Amino acid sequence: MKNESIQKAIDFFGGSQVELAKALNVSKSQVWQWLNNINSVSLEKIIMLEEKTNGFIRCEDLRPDINWCVLRSKKRIA
């Protein structure tokens, strides 16, 4: 089963795993692994992805197990 959020990110970058990889400074094989749920996306790359897509892909979409509102409120305070 494909990771729908990663597929949405690929689609955002023109349907290209290569373009998503370039945007996040990772290899195409890393994107493929995320897409196919072989590896998880690191927190650093999740945050970067949200920033590069201007919120089209949200951190919550990729890692709903993390309480992002706590992290977001700390970011606003800092």
Side-chain angles (χ1 to χ4, degrees):
M1 185 174 190
K2 302 277 186 198
N3 183 317
E4 292 179 22
S5 295
I6 293 297
Q7 183 59 60
K8 186 177 171 184
I10 292 167
D11 294 343
F12 181 89
F13 286 95
S16 170
Q17 290 182 32
V18 171
E19 291 304 315
L20 176 57
K22 285 181 188 177
L24 298 178
N25 198 29
V26 297
S27 67
K28 180 184 176 275
S29 64
Q30 184 65 60
V31 172
W32 184 88
Q33 290 173 18
W34 295 339
L35 179 63
N36 291 286
N37 294 305
I38 294 169
N39 287 326
S40 297
V41 184
S42 72
L43 296 181
E44 173 191 13
K45 297 302 179 186
I46 289 171
I47 293 166
M48 187 183 293
L49 183 56
E50 181 172 297
E51 290 172 352
K52 293 208 177 252
T53 63
N54 295 314
F56 181 72
I57 305 296
R58 300 191 67 225
C59 296
E60 292 83 349
D61 298 334
L62 291 164
R63 289 290 303 270
D65 58 313
I66 295 174
N67 189 349
W68 290 100
C69 60
V70 169
L71 296 173
R72 290 180 192 282
S73 66
K74 287 183 181 179
K75 185 177 178 182
R76 275 186 247 128
I77 293 170

